């Protein structure tokens, strides 16, 4: 939206930018909303079947506590000091996630809205089917944001007298609420235009769905929108010949019409204009602005990846902006919005381009600026370049390893050599650049040996990842529609196990497929379990499985990488590191629920539960003394405990931390500006 505003405003078009995502979340988190949700949930529980009643009652019981603590949780996430204490941050965000679970369960329709792993799901609704979308978008009970729209959003729009309302849908999880919004706006008489990546990915189905334009949109921009919007506004004001507008779909005489394709000269576009965005309301202590160096992917051959799909309109794979223009963008936005943190959101940043950007940033003399981005494990990331990029402010990179088996990499056309991966990661570490490495198992044609090479890569390079800010994941391959794995499934030995013929808005088939030559679903699941069992003990100082100490979200992770650049990270997942003289104590996570009955204490979080006798409960989480980690373990194990007993106790503590039941709280010190103990 800021990119479009930057083109429209200089042309004399009045533009208001609304972010209804953050508005909707914050409205659901208002204390009065949570109390209302608790009352609705209590009523629902009375008529629920016994198996479900317990869940509804327990969730409703938490409504007053969540209503009371959510304002402080939001304040913690927005406080630069408190945010950088992961114990406080984890407590705050667990409460936010619990609150969204509460509002979802209290909705009239069975549904789930969550931001931890983004989703908006309504039971019984398949959003890939147009008929289901017509049903769900006509039901206010399936719309968590309806009250906010009716009382706030729609009155604002009606008062503004807007000629055109554009809705940008980027992710598939925005389809249900986004089309609900569009449908209501159409019924209120607004002229509605739809666009965004999610719409572009299903645009091939729209010519077969004229009713889509009757219900949801006057027109759809299916690719880049800068020139299209300018021409559309001209036509709406004068000629009304939509056929002259590029990149457009609309209905005329009962048929869907498509106009000519226009490719933007990305290098010539103006600096994005964020004026009017709610920059002070996001869930972050520091503003992190996204910028693009270029559109597309300079490699763009990976058979599993659909990310560059939206930009595959140009004969040039990667349309870039000159480094000096990007530096000028950063300088302008930093000054205008008092912003120091930037996410370079390209699909992959070439080393040579980053080199030029570092040179262009140097004359700004702004050592406070920091950024992160995505890259490929290529030999261009030399030790010298990584040091240069760190001096320029690069704090974290996200790399796609995908597989540590060269044959598997070659079959997916990844275009990297596995022998370069470790060198690149070492170069980043030596420069102080933190990193995350993505990997998958279950590729077409992959067998146990190649999958285990991927698992072994992280074990063999344990010293690289035994750092709080160096993280990785191993997950199961899911197949997306705009990839060769879907369009040429037979060629890759893929058997798709669900019907795709009647799916109008299909983004992917997930794991609903099988290898005709390779690992089965059950074998992939077993290997993922094997990976977890291997990774847990090897990375128990800083990482859970998945990580909980260093936040995974890109923007949050950049703030941590900046805060702890060249400085020790004093927080842990386990407590027995004998080389660490830091003093800690164990405390029950304030976001967890404690039930006391029959002399036992049951501690429950959204990630797990444990039942303890009163003495064990007090020893584990109510001892206020700060001690060295080995001393805590020794005290819990008891006098004359065997090594195995101490090891078992340590493993038990780590397990409770990973389930967000127990916190390892560092003794407050002045060096990081944290005072006081964890709030109850």
């Amino acid at each position: 939206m800021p990119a479009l505003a930057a083109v429209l405003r200089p042309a004399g078009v009045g533009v208001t930018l609304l972010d209804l995502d953050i508005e909707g979340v914050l409205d659901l988190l208002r204390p009065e909303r949570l109390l209302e949700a608790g009352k609705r949930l209590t009523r629902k529980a009375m008529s629920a079947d016994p198996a479900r009643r317990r869940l509804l009652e327990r969730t409703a019981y938490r409504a007053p506590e969540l209503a009371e603590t959510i304002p402080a949780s939001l304040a913690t996430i927005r406080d630069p000091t408190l945010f950088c204490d992961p114990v406080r941050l984890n407590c705050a965000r667990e409460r936010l996630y619990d609150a969204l679970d509460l509002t979802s369960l209290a909705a009239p329709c069975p549904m789930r809205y969550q931001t931890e792993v983004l989703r908006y799901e309504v039971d019984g609704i398949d959003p890939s089917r147009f008929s289901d979308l017509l049903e769900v978008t006509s039901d206010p009970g399936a719309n968590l944001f309806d009250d906010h729209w009716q009382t706030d959003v729609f009155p604002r729009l009606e008062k503004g007298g807007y000629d055109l309302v554009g809705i940008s849908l980027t992710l598939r999880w925005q389809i249900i609420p986004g089309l609900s919004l569009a449908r209501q706006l159409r019924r209120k008489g607004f002229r509605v235009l739809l666009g965004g990546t999610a719409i572009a990915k299903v645009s091939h189905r729209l010519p077969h769905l004229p009713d889509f334009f009757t219900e949801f949109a006057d027109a759809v921009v299916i690719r880049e929108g800068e020139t299209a919007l300018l021409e559309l506004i001209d036509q709406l004001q004068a000629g009304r010949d939509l056929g002259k507008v590029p990149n457009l779909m609309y209905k005329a005489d009962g048929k869907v019409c498509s106009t000519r394709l226009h490719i933007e000269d990305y290098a010539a576009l103006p600096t994005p204009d964020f004026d009017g965005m709610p920059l002070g309301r996001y869930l972050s202590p520091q503003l992190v602005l996204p910028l693009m160096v270029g559109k597309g992917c300079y490699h763009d051959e990976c058979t599993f990846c659909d990310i560059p799909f939206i930009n595959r309109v140009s004969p040039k794979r990667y349309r870039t902006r000159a480094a000096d223009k990007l530096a000028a963008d950063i300088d302008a936005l930093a000054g205008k919005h008092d912003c120091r943190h930037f996410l370079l959101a390209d699909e992959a940043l070439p080393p040579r381009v980053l080199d030029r950007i570092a040179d262009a940033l140097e004359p700004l003399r702004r050592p406070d600026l920091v950024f992160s981005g995505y890259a490929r494990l290529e030999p261009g990331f030399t030790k010298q370049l990584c040091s240069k990029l760190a001096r320029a402010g690069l704090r974290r990179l996200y790399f796609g390893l995908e597989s540590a088996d060269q044959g598997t990499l070659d079959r997916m056309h990844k275009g990297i050599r596995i022998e370069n991966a470790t060198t690149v990661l070492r170069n980043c570490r030596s420069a102080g650049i933190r990193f995350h490495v993505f990997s998958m198992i279950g590729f077409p044609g992959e067998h146990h040996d190649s999958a285990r090479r991927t698992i072994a890569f992280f074990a063999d390079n344990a010293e690289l990842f035994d750092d709080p800010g160096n993280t990785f994941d191993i997950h199961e391959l899911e197949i997306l529609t705009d990839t060769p794995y879907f369009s040429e499934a037979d060629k890759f030995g893929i058997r798709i196990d669900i019907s795709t013929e009647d799916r109008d808005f299909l983004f992917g088939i997930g794991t609903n497929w099988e290898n005709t030559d390779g690992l089965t679903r059950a074998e992939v699941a077993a290997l993922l379990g094997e990976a977890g069992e291997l990774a847990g003990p090897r990375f128990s100082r800083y990482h859970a499985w998945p990580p909980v100490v260093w936040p995974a979200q890109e923007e949050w992770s950049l703030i941590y990488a900046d805060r702890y650049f060249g400085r020790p990270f004093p927080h842990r997942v386990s407590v027995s590191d004998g080389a660490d003289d830091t003093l800690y104590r164990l405390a029950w996570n304030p976001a967890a629920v404690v039930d006391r009955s029959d002399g036992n204490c049951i501690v429950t979080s959204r990630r797990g539960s444990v039942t303890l006798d009163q003495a064990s409960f007090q020893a584990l989480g109510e001892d206020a003394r700060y001690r060295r980690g080995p001393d805590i373990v020794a005290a819990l194990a008891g006098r004359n405990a065997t090594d195995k007993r101490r090891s078992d106790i340590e493993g038990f503590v780590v397990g409770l931390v990973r389930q967000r039941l127990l916190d390892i709280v560092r003794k407050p010190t002045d060096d990081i500006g944290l005072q006081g103990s964890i709030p109850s």
Side-chain angles (χ1 to χ4, degrees):
M1 295 192 300
L4 297 175
V7 170
L8 294 172
R9 284 169 173 160
V13 180
V15 176
T16 299
L17 299 179
L18 303 179
D19 187 337
L20 298 190
D21 281 319
I22 189 62
E23 282 195 20
V25 169
L26 293 178
D27 182 77
L28 293 176
L29 294 176
R30 288 194 294 126
E32 55 268 37
R33 287 273 196 230
L34 297 175
L35 292 173
E36 291 170 7
K39 294 176 183 177
R40 290 197 305 271
L41 202 53
T42 298
R43 292 193 294 269
K44 287 182 72 172
M46 296 172 65
S47 58
D49 62 82
R52 186 168 174 76
R53 185 181 305 148
R54 178 62 174 157
L55 169 65
L56 301 184
E57 288 175 342
R58 284 175 60 87
T59 307
Y61 175 78
R62 294 204 64 193
E65 174 225 336
L66 290 170
E68 181 180 354
T69 57
I70 282 298
S73 297
L74 292 172
T76 293
I77 292 174
R78 289 168 171 155
D79 184 282
T81 299
L82 300 181
F83 174 88
C84 288
D85 179 343
V87 171
R88 294 172 182 263
L89 175 60
N90 278 323
C91 176
R93 64 179 179 179
E94 290 292 317
R95 281 179 167 142
L96 263 61
Y97 301 151
D98 286 341
L100 293 179
D101 285 343
L102 166 66
T103 58
S104 297
L105 285 170
C109 291
M111 65 174 304
R112 187 173 188 204
Y113 170 59
Q114 189 52 257
T115 60
E116 179 185 17
V117 177
L118 189 61
R119 62 183 61 196
Y120 192 108
E121 300 169 323
V122 180
D123 284 7
I125 294 296
D126 182 349
S128 70
R129 290 190 169 95
F130 182 62
S131 58
D132 282 22
L133 288 175
L134 287 175
E135 176 187 344
V136 74
T137 57
S138 65
D139 182 2
N143 180 7
L144 274 181
F145 309 114
D146 192 63
D147 286 345
H148 174 55
W149 294 353
Q150 299 295 341
T151 60
D152 186 86
V153 177
F154 294 151
R156 269 188 286 162
L157 293 176
E158 289 164 353
K159 184 178 180 180
Y162 297 102
D163 300 300
L164 182 67
V165 178
I167 302 175
S168 179
L169 303 178
T170 304
L171 304 172
R172 64 189 176 103
W173 302 112
Q174 295 174 309
I175 288 290
I176 291 177
L179 292 185
S180 298
L181 175 65
R183 197 171 192 184
Q184 290 202 48
L185 288 172
R186 291 293 306 284
R187 290 175 176 175
K188 290 179 176 293
F190 288 96
R191 186 183 284 122
V192 175
L193 178 70
L194 292 178
T197 304
I199 294 296
K201 287 185 175 182
V202 298
S203 61
H204 64 287
R205 291 293 304 157
L206 296 183
H208 309 286
L209 296 169
D211 286 349
F212 181 89
F213 294 86
T214 302
E215 298 295 334
F216 297 117
D218 295 88
V220 169
V221 174
I222 60 170
R223 294 288 179 174
E224 297 170 322
E226 288 86 352
T227 299
L229 271 173
L230 284 172
E231 183 61 37
L232 175 62
I233 290 167
D234 285 346
Q235 291 302 324
L236 292 177
Q237 289 179 330
R240 301 188 64 83
D241 184 357
L242 298 185
K244 293 182 179 180
V245 181
N247 301 346
L248 199 71
M249 281 188 178
Y250 62 97
K251 188 169 77 170
D253 301 324
K255 296 181 180 180
V256 178
C257 304
S258 299
T259 63
R260 64 183 174 86
L261 174 67
H262 175 78
I263 301 169
E264 298 292 345
D265 179 3
Y266 185 67
L269 293 177
T271 304
D273 186 347
F274 290 86
D275 282 0
M277 295 287 286
L279 300 181
R281 302 194 72 198
Y282 290 104
L283 303 184
S284 173
Q286 307 283 356
L287 180 61
V288 183
L289 290 180
L291 280 176
M292 301 280 291
V293 179
K295 286 193 174 186
C297 174
Y298 70 97
H299 180 67
D300 196 18
E301 293 183 15
C302 300
T303 51
F304 64 88
C305 182
D306 77 333
I307 292 176
F309 167 79
I310 187 66
N311 292 306
R312 289 179 186 149
V313 294
S314 170
K316 191 173 183 180
R317 289 182 177 181
Y318 189 44
R319 293 169 284 157
T320 59
R321 196 167 182 77
D324 59 339
K325 283 192 174 182
L326 181 76
D329 292 341
I330 292 173
D331 190 36
L333 293 171
K336 187 174 188 178
H337 300 293
D338 191 25
C339 177
R340 297 178 47 247
H341 299 77
F342 293 88
L343 173 65
L344 302 183
D346 296 45
E347 324 305 347
L349 295 161
R352 66 184 185 282
V353 171
L354 286 172
D355 193 4
R356 292 197 291 267
I357 291 172
D359 288 337
L361 289 172
E362 200 277 332
L364 298 181
R365 301 190 183 281
R366 288 288 305 268
D368 58 326
L369 298 178
V370 296
F371 58 98
S372 63
Y374 304 84
R376 290 164 48 79
L377 287 161
E378 296 183 348
F381 285 101
T382 63
K383 190 171 184 178
Q384 292 75 18
L385 178 60
C386 289
S387 296
K388 179 178 181 178
L389 295 175
R391 291 193 300 272
L394 182 61
R395 293 292 177 264
R396 201 164 201 242
L397 284 173
Y398 296 82
F399 292 107
L401 172 70
E402 321 313 350
S403 173
D405 177 72
Q406 191 61 53
T408 304
L409 289 173
D410 293 343
R411 285 193 297 274
M412 73 176 78
H413 301 163
K414 180 67 181 177
I416 63 172
R417 301 293 305 174
I418 191 61
E419 60 263 24
N420 294 326
T422 301
T423 302
V424 171
L425 298 178
R426 288 188 187 281
N427 291 342
C428 287
R429 185 185 65 174
S430 68
I433 298 171
R434 261 57 186 255
F435 50 78
H436 180 85
V437 176
F438 301 102
S439 70
M440 294 177 276
I441 58 175
F443 285 97
E446 185 170 43
H447 295 271
H448 283 85
D449 288 348
S450 59
R452 285 200 171 99
R453 288 190 186 97
T454 301
I455 298 171
F457 175 87
F458 300 103
D460 295 342
N461 293 284
E463 90 284 358
L464 284 171
F465 294 95
D466 193 21
D467 176 289
N470 294 343
T471 54
F472 68 94
D473 63 57
I474 307 174
H475 59 275
E476 188 172 3
L477 172 68
E478 298 187 3
I479 290 182
L480 304 168
T481 52
D482 296 308
T483 66
Y485 279 167
F486 182 81
S487 61
E488 304 173 63
D490 291 343
K491 172 183 172 182
F492 292 99
I494 293 169
R495 186 185 76 239
I496 297 175
D497 289 343
I498 60 170
S499 171
T500 61
E501 297 295 327
D502 58 345
R503 307 294 182 92
D504 301 297
F505 296 90
L506 188 65
F507 290 85
I509 58 172
T511 58
N512 292 301
W513 63 279
E514 285 284 354
N515 272 309
T516 58
D517 175 25
L519 298 168
T520 65
R521 294 265 77 80
E523 289 172 325
V524 170
L527 284 164
L528 288 173
E530 186 179 306
E533 291 174 2
L534 179 68
R538 285 184 180 270
F539 303 105
S540 63
R541 282 206 301 172
Y542 300 111
H543 303 310
W545 191 251
V548 297
V549 178
W550 191 284
Q553 294 90 339
E554 283 92 332
E555 294 80 5
W556 284 9
S557 186
L558 171 59
I559 294 170
Y560 263 57
D562 179 34
R563 176 67 180 81
Y564 294 107
F565 179 69
R567 304 179 64 180
F569 185 79
H571 305 280
R572 300 285 187 273
V573 171
S574 63
V575 293
S576 67
D577 186 355
D580 184 3
D581 289 328
T582 307
L583 301 181
Y584 302 95
R585 69 179 177 92
L586 301 180
W588 295 111
N589 174 13
V593 177
V594 179
D595 291 332
R596 303 173 191 265
S597 61
D598 300 326
N600 290 327
C601 297
I602 304 171
V603 188
T604 304
S605 74
R606 57 203 316 277
R607 301 175 190 275
S609 181
V610 65
T611 301
L612 301 165
D613 59 68
Q614 184 67 31
S616 297
F617 176 82
Q618 292 176 341
L620 274 167
E622 293 197 332
D623 191 330
R625 292 175 294 171
Y626 290 96
R627 293 169 288 177
R628 293 176 65 253
D631 297 332
I632 294 175
V633 173
L636 291 172
R639 290 184 177 181
N640 303 317
T642 64
D643 290 344
K644 183 180 185 307
R645 167 71 174 167
R646 283 191 289 269
S647 178
D648 289 345
I649 289 293
E650 179 186 354
F652 184 62
V653 168
V654 170
L656 295 178
V657 172
R658 288 175 177 163
Q659 294 177 78
R660 299 298 303 120
L661 300 169
L662 197 64
D663 288 324
I664 299 174
V665 182
R666 182 207 185 205
K667 185 175 182 180
T669 56
D670 292 336
D671 65 319
I672 57 172
L674 293 173
Q675 294 295 335
S677 59
I678 185 73
S680 61

